[in-house]
Amino acid sequence: MSDILELFLGLILGAIAMYWVFSFFRKKRSKELTEHQSTILLDKIKSVCKLITVEGDFAEIYRYENTKERFLSLVSSKKKALIIINAKAHIGFDLKKLQMYADNDKKRIILTNFPQPEILSISPELQFYDIQNGLFNSFTPTDLTSLNMEAKQHIRDKIPQSGLMDTANKEALEAVLLIEKIVETIGWKLDYSALEMNNRKKELLEK
């Protein structure tokens, strides 16, 4: 009788042990899968990298003058040109600057900070008019490179007054909703309650 009881108890203890081992590995595998999902998801969001929300076109007239002096400043030579700048500027968000982390237990991506809009690119096209070379001061290929950089800076200085940054800032909620859709593709949730989005939501609804 005692042998049967010991065998019975042994089977019960063995079953409990096997169930515990099975549960342990199942939870471990589930945890590893969840952590793997969150890593892939965060990488997927960051792979979007730069999100363009606003595009602006600029047409500016830029006067360029450059004077060189020789012989102890007794002789000067001036070159000048009238330049038409047609430029396209892209304003948006660098998503690599997102601050977020994964709550693996609740399958949530928590967004704690959203980047400010910034100038992502400026593509100027220059047209030269009324080009005048000086006696010993004429335009060179190096000047064209420098003028292209000056044109970009000229447009960059115009952007704050153009309203493009404000427009891009109003589009921030739409950018967050895009990220939310990416998160939902694998059954997770995006928590952006830490962001101050109330004004942006209001502005979006008023459109």
Side-chain angles (χ1 to χ4, degrees), residues 177-204:
L177 295 179
L178 174 63
I179 295 172
E180 186 174 36
K181 289 179 181 178
I182 295 174
V183 170
E184 289 175 349
T185 57
I186 64 168
W188 284 54
K189 295 292 183 181
L190 179 68
D191 183 352
Y192 51 93
S193 57
L195 300 180
E196 295 180 359
M197 302 297 293
N198 292 333
N199 292 334
R200 290 172 179 173
K201 286 182 180 178
K202 183 178 178 181
E203 289 168 351
L204 186 63

Side-chain angles (χ1 to χ4, degrees), residues 152-169:
K152 282 187 176 182
Q153 187 59 49
H154 181 72
I155 298 301
R156 189 179 296 273
D157 293 339
K158 293 283 184 178
I159 288 176
Q161 291 80 37
S162 68
L164 290 177
M165 288 296 190
D166 293 334
T167 302
N169 205 38

Side-chain angles (χ1 to χ4, degrees), residues 16-30:
I16 292 173
M18 287 297 295
Y19 176 79
W20 182 85
V21 170
F22 176 76
S23 298
F24 174 78
F25 282 106
R26 185 176 62 180
K27 289 180 180 179
K28 184 178 180 181
R29 184 180 178 186
S30 177

